[in-house]
Amino acid sequence: MTIVGAGFGGIGAAIELRKHGITDVTILERATHLGGTWWHNTYPGCACDVPSHLYSYSFAQRKHWSRLCSPQQEILDYLQGVADDFDITGAVRTGTDVTACRWNDASRRWTVESRDGRSWESDALIVATGQLHQPAYPRIDGIDDFAGHSFHSAQWDHDHKLAGRRVAVVGTGASAVQFVPAIAPEVGQLTVFQRTGNWFLPRKNHAYPGWLKTLFRTVPGVETFRRSFVYWYAEFLTLMIRHPKTWGRVGKAKSAIFMQWQLRDPEVRRKVWPDYTFGCKRVLFSSWFLKALQRDNVTLVDDAITRITPTGLLTADGVEHDVDTIIWGTGFKTTDFMFPMEITGVDGRSLRDAWADGPHAYLGMTVPDFPSLFVMYGPNTNTSGGSIIYYLEAQAAYIRQALELVRDRNVAALAVRPEIEADFDVATQARFGGTAWLRCDSWYRDDATGRNITNWPGYMREYADAVRVLDVEKFTLITLPEHDAATSTDISA
Ligand code: NAP
């Protein structure tokens, strides 16, 4: 079994498989270390905005989180610790840049190829590269002409000192909201370029006081209660997104009161105030970002950037903003999923072609004609309010059931039936109707079609229920080559 990606998805899948006797597991990881997004993103202030009691594996709960939302290093240490505890670290092949995964119709196995010419044969393949791993740069004229220094928030250049410099930050998403307050006191002049305002909710995220840490550590059940509380809070956030005309108004009101209170500067308030439905884009949790925007050394620009010049950024109002450094807080190529990796299935069909009209997969995991290929954190499995780890665990258990089925039926692989996948896709898209997710443009949606191709349209609980038991009727079982003479390649019920 080959897994591509050693983040929370890949590590969690390996643990699940090994726990159930599927021990021959190799995890291929492009980076020099496991951790996925928590290895790559090291920007100042980097933390998870989902509380750690929920943003952690259910089977590896910790009693000693330092604060509500742990910082990057603490999360990375946690994942490394879990991988060590479950003896997974040794299965990770770091520095392995997977370029292609090919299904072989004759051997009915996968061949996985890396950039350095190595290859792996595998009965099944898990692609756990996620949605947030390829930094996105905006298409702005002159972007290569800038003579100063520039870098992306997911590739933070810690050698480049910002103290005293004129710095531009492009983007005001979940990443920028964390690093802007962290760098604002240090830089000389900070200019933040915002394209769209966001809805904010308060989050101070101070370190837990000693008494609370002691409570978590010593009183049985307290951290379980905490996890449960955070879980239901997250589901409530989804309720507000699903029902913008009713529950969504509650969220909007809370956010508006908070923002009104924080935004003392009327000019900044006017620029920041969002003009779209609460919850359509990710709601941002920060009690520090809006305050940072009102510092004397910070300027918020909401005019569109029309050009990058050798000395700075030109905006639509004709102003040239000269800076020494540009930090791209412009997010990720979320809708590219595992591409540019080349994936070919039955008859050499390319996944890129299969997804020409936008990615879609049954339960976000399986695609017709790509036997025993399982995508983790695939299409329509992102969460706007919950913990992705909750989804990943559910997926790992589902994939494990699929592999057990293949083993128990003594077949080569299984592939979802095309009509099942198509029906699932229609039903998934239909569930977005009336929700906040469709009320603005966002990285959740395909630019060309407007389909929401990244998010799960419902609650965490619903997804877990949907994937709890694998239904063999939904799949075609593919015989082993040596059984060809006796049976057809489709021996399912
Ligand atoms: P993002 O949410 O996609 O934000 C990108 C920002 O760049 C947006 O403000 C976007 O504006 C702006 N932008 C893009 N092109 C631009 C242009 N040409 N000119 C001006 N602005 C431009 O990216 P992110 O902040 O890196 O976060 C991505 C995702 O990562 C989050 O949604 C979240 O799921 C995850 N994340 C999570 C955490 C966490 O704590 N759990 C922390 C960081 C990130 P528009 O809004 O107009 O598109």
Side-chain angles (χ1 to χ4, degrees):
M1 156 59 65
T2 305
I3 300 173
V4 185
F8 269 98
I11 299 289
I15 292 170
E16 173 73 11
L17 298 183
R18 287 215 169 150
K19 266 188 196 167
H20 290 83
I22 302 169
T23 53
D24 183 13
V25 176
T26 303
I27 308 178
L28 307 178
E29 168 57 52
R30 181 173 55 188
T32 55
H33 198 279
L34 63 77
T37 197
W38 299 107
W39 169 252
H40 290 289
N41 284 274
T42 62
Y43 57 76
C46 184
C48 184
D49 60 9
V50 180
S52 296
H53 282 96
L54 188 62
Y55 195 85
S56 49
Y57 295 119
S58 63
F59 56 84
Q61 288 293 289
R62 294 284 190 263
K63 291 174 185 280
H64 53 255
W65 297 111
S66 68
R67 59 195 71 218
L68 181 72
C69 295
S70 299
Q72 170 260 340
Q73 187 64 49
E74 190 172 347
I75 299 170
L76 185 62
D77 290 346
Y78 166 78
L79 184 58
Q80 178 68 69
V82 173
D84 289 343
D85 290 349
F86 287 87
D87 208 15
I88 298 298
T89 308
V92 181
R93 306 280 171 269
T94 54
T96 308
D97 185 6
V98 172
T99 50
C101 306
R102 302 181 204 283
W103 169 256
N104 184 320
D105 288 319
S107 66
R108 288 168 212 172
R109 306 187 80 205
W110 284 92
T111 303
V112 178
E113 300 166 9
S114 66
R115 190 170 298 284
D116 57 11
R118 287 177 293 161
S119 65
W120 291 260
E121 291 286 314
S122 187
D123 296 333
L125 176 66
I126 298 176
V127 178
T129 49
Q131 298 185 8
L132 301 167
H133 65 112
Q134 299 186 63
Y137 294 85
R139 286 198 203 105
I140 303 177
D141 285 344
I143 194 163
D144 296 326
D145 298 343
F146 183 58
H149 192 59
S150 65
F151 55 87
H152 192 280
S153 64
Q155 297 163 334
W156 197 271
D157 184 352
H158 292 277
D159 292 334
H160 180 75
K161 298 299 168 213
L162 296 174
R165 288 190 203 266
R166 296 167 306 166
V167 177
V169 167
V170 181
T172 52
S175 300
V177 158
Q178 292 180 340
F179 70 75
V180 163
I183 64 172
E186 177 193 350
V187 301
Q189 176 64 38
L190 183 60
T191 311
V192 178
F193 292 84
Q194 170 197 278
R195 192 166 62 179
T196 318
N198 292 293
W199 290 107
F200 283 84
L201 286 172
R203 170 77 46 81
K204 290 204 170 100
N205 206 29
H206 290 310
Y208 282 139
W211 65 266
L212 193 52
K213 285 190 192 171
T214 308
L215 196 70
F216 284 134
R217 221 179 34 249
T218 55
V219 181
V222 174
E223 95 277 6
T224 313
F225 173 77
R226 179 75 157 181
R227 180 175 165 90
S228 177
F229 178 82
V230 175
Y231 171 90
W232 287 108
Y233 183 88
E235 294 287 68
F236 184 57
L237 199 53
T238 300
L239 179 80
M240 293 192 281
I241 297 170
R242 281 206 53 77
H243 302 284
K245 289 184 181 158
T246 50
W247 292 105
R249 289 182 198 268
V250 176
K252 180 182 174 181
K254 184 176 180 194
S255 179
I257 291 167
F258 169 67
M259 290 175 68
Q260 188 78 23
W261 173 70
Q262 282 230 320
L263 289 162
R264 301 297 161 102
D265 181 327
E267 181 65 5
V268 176
R269 187 191 311 146
R270 183 190 62 74
K271 290 179 181 173
V272 162
W273 211 266
D275 60 359
Y276 59 86
T277 306
F278 176 86
C280 181
K281 288 173 191 262
R282 192 177 175 95
V283 175
L284 301 177
F285 290 85
S286 172
S287 298
W288 311 115
F289 179 74
L290 298 176
K291 282 189 175 169
L293 291 184
Q294 296 165 94
R295 289 176 59 95
D296 289 342
N297 68 333
V298 178
T299 308
L300 178 67
V301 175
D302 65 346
D303 296 286
I305 304 165
T306 51
R307 184 169 190 87
I308 306 295
T309 69
T311 55
L313 304 91
L314 186 66
T315 44
D317 55 354
V319 176
E320 187 164 350
H321 307 265
D322 283 351
V323 294
D324 307 307
T325 308
I326 300 176
I327 303 172
W328 302 108
T330 43
F332 301 87
K333 296 180 190 171
T334 51
T335 54
D336 279 8
F337 290 90
M338 69 287 282
F339 303 131
M341 196 188 296
E342 191 189 338
I343 301 198
T344 52
V346 169
D347 290 335
R349 278 196 69 189
S350 129
L351 186 62
R352 198 179 280 283
D353 291 344
W355 283 358
D357 295 330
H360 46 94
Y362 177 57
L363 298 171
M365 286 185 275
T366 56
V367 186
D369 288 333
F370 292 82
S372 290
L373 165 70
F374 303 95
V375 186
M376 295 187 84
Y377 195 3
N380 293 113
T381 63
N382 181 56
T383 165
S384 289
S387 165
I388 190 60
I389 298 176
Y390 190 89
Y391 289 74
L392 294 170
E393 269 189 57
Q395 293 178 346
Y398 186 86
I399 295 167
R400 185 257 306 157
Q401 289 178 50
L403 300 182
E404 287 174 338
L405 182 81
V406 166
R407 182 191 61 197
D408 296 346
R409 299 280 180 109
N410 195 25
V411 292
L414 85 184
V416 66
R417 294 178 181 275
E419 68 278 14
I420 298 294
E421 194 278 323
D423 288 352
F424 173 81
D425 185 43
V426 170
T428 302
Q429 291 302 320
R431 277 218 79 205
F432 283 107
T435 69
W437 283 300
L438 293 189
R439 292 178 170 223
C440 68
D441 290 334
S442 71
W443 66 254
Y444 302 141
R445 302 177 73 180
D446 182 58
D447 288 342
T449 62
R451 284 162 42 98
N452 187 318
I453 54 175
T454 58
N455 265 37
W456 175 245
Y459 303 91
M460 288 185 277
R461 175 184 46 79
E462 287 177 314
Y463 187 76
D465 287 347
V467 305
R468 184 158 289 120
V469 179
L470 181 138
D471 180 0
V472 63
E473 302 287 328
K474 306 271 197 289
F475 291 88
T476 297
L477 301 184
I478 298 167
T479 54
L480 288 159
E482 56 268 34
H483 295 165
D484 272 0
T487 60
S488 81
T489 53
D490 180 352
I491 62 161
S492 59

